[in-house]
Amino acid sequence: MKKKSDIKKETPVDYSILGSIKKRWSPRVFAEKPISEKDAKILLEAGRWAPSASNIQPWRVIWGIKGTPIYDRIFNCLDEFNQSWAGNSQMLWLNAFKKTMNNGEQENFHALHDLGLFMGNVIHQANSMEMAVHQMAGIDFKKAQKEFQFPEEYHVATAVAFGYFGGEPEELSEDLEKQEVKETRERKSQEEFAFNGNFQTK
Ligand SMILES: Cc1cc2nc3c(=O)[nH]c(=O)nc-3n(C[C@H](O)[C@H](O)[C@H](O)COP(=O)(O)O)c2cc1C
């Protein structure tokens, strides 16, 4: 079976786009190379400068590097499927957002959007450092909320696995190994999601 370094992912674009966007993908195995605290701070700094509605910056992150108790506590909040591979990562995050506006009463309907922008910056920065990022919705968010003592007005939305590219796909289950080495990447066509006029169902 192929080694990770042999894997070539094909990104069939219809228009020429940035090379850094084309080369990004989400692996489930990572190199042994550790992630330092400084790396973590650089990624968080990139996220810090993301735009957000009214500059509320609703994102909150719990981060833990492999080999520390925080990493293990985050790992224990992942669902069974994600636990089957995310232990290959060198760093784990839990991402939460503040559900309310700064007055603490009205709901901030754009908080999840802003957390996505935060992660967009993080991914972009990680990419430039040859680091891979794999986001996860599969978490026990209630357990995470309790474990890390988030107050009621926060929602733990996602977890994220980080590591440098270059792990061994054969460490995965047969199914996941197949996905890991699959060369072609798929996306909807622009016609399915972008309309220069009324909404259409395709
Ligand atoms: C918000 C979000 C949640 C995701 N949840 C999971 C997850 O729980 N488990 C998993 O293995 N992958 C998860 N993914 C990864 C996606 O499946 C992946 O990004 C998608 O298939 C596109 O592949 P690519 O990132 O390699 O381009 C998630 C991605 C995002 C953005």
Side-chain angles (χ1 to χ4, degrees), residues 100-117:
T100 50
M101 305 290 276
N102 283 340
N103 65 14
E105 285 161 21
Q106 282 159 292
E107 191 171 343
N108 180 1
F109 291 108
H110 302 104
L112 185 55
H113 177 107
D114 293 343
L115 175 58
L117 289 172

Side-chain angles (χ1 to χ4, degrees), residues 9 11 13 16-25 185:
K9 293 280 179 187
T11 304
V13 294
S16 179
I17 58 171
L18 291 175
S20 56
I21 295 176
K22 275 173 73 173
K23 82 167 188 194
R24 186 212 59 82
W25 63 285
R185 306 176 65 221

Side-chain angles (χ1 to χ4, degrees), residues 24-26 28 81-82 85 134-138 158 185 187:
R24 186 212 59 82
W25 63 285
S26 308
R28 293 194 174 95
F81 170 71
N82 287 323
W85 62 267
H134 200 131
Q135 299 174 86
M136 292 169 268
T158 50
R185 306 176 65 221
R187 287 299 188 267

Side-chain angles (χ1 to χ4, degrees), residues 31-160:
E32 291 288 318
K33 182 178 172 182
I35 288 180
S36 66
E37 278 204 28
K38 188 172 176 206
D39 289 338
K41 296 282 175 71
I42 291 171
L43 297 176
L44 290 163
E45 187 68 15
R48 180 179 170 225
W49 289 99
S52 63
S54 304
N55 202 17
I56 288 175
Q57 305 158 62
W59 46 77
R60 300 291 184 272
V61 179
I62 308 287
W63 61 278
I65 288 175
K66 194 169 202 166
T68 69
I70 302 178
Y71 180 101
D72 296 341
R73 286 169 64 202
I74 298 172
F75 183 83
N76 288 334
C77 296
L78 306 181
D79 71 12
E80 208 179 317
F81 170 71
N82 287 323
Q83 285 192 352
S84 76
W85 62 267
N88 297 324
S89 69
Q90 294 291 333
M91 176 169 70
L92 287 172
W93 288 11
L94 271 180
N95 288 342
F97 63 86
K98 185 169 178 280
K99 294 185 283 185
T100 50
M101 305 290 276
N102 283 340
N103 65 14
E105 285 161 21
Q106 282 159 292
E107 191 171 343
N108 180 1
F109 291 108
H110 302 104
L112 185 55
H113 177 107
D114 293 343
L115 175 58
L117 289 172
F118 173 90
M119 278 311 299
N121 269 22
V122 170
I123 284 171
H124 206 67
Q125 180 68 42
N127 224 336
S128 76
M129 296 158 76
E130 305 298 326
M131 204 189 281
V133 183
H134 200 131
Q135 299 174 86
M136 292 169 268
I139 61 170
D140 183 338
F141 69 89
K142 283 191 183 145
K143 184 174 177 181
Q145 182 109 11
K146 213 169 155 204
E147 172 70 26
F148 289 98
Q149 300 174 16
F150 279 99
E152 180 60 27
E153 68 269 28
Y154 292 82
H155 176 66
V156 185
T158 50
V160 195

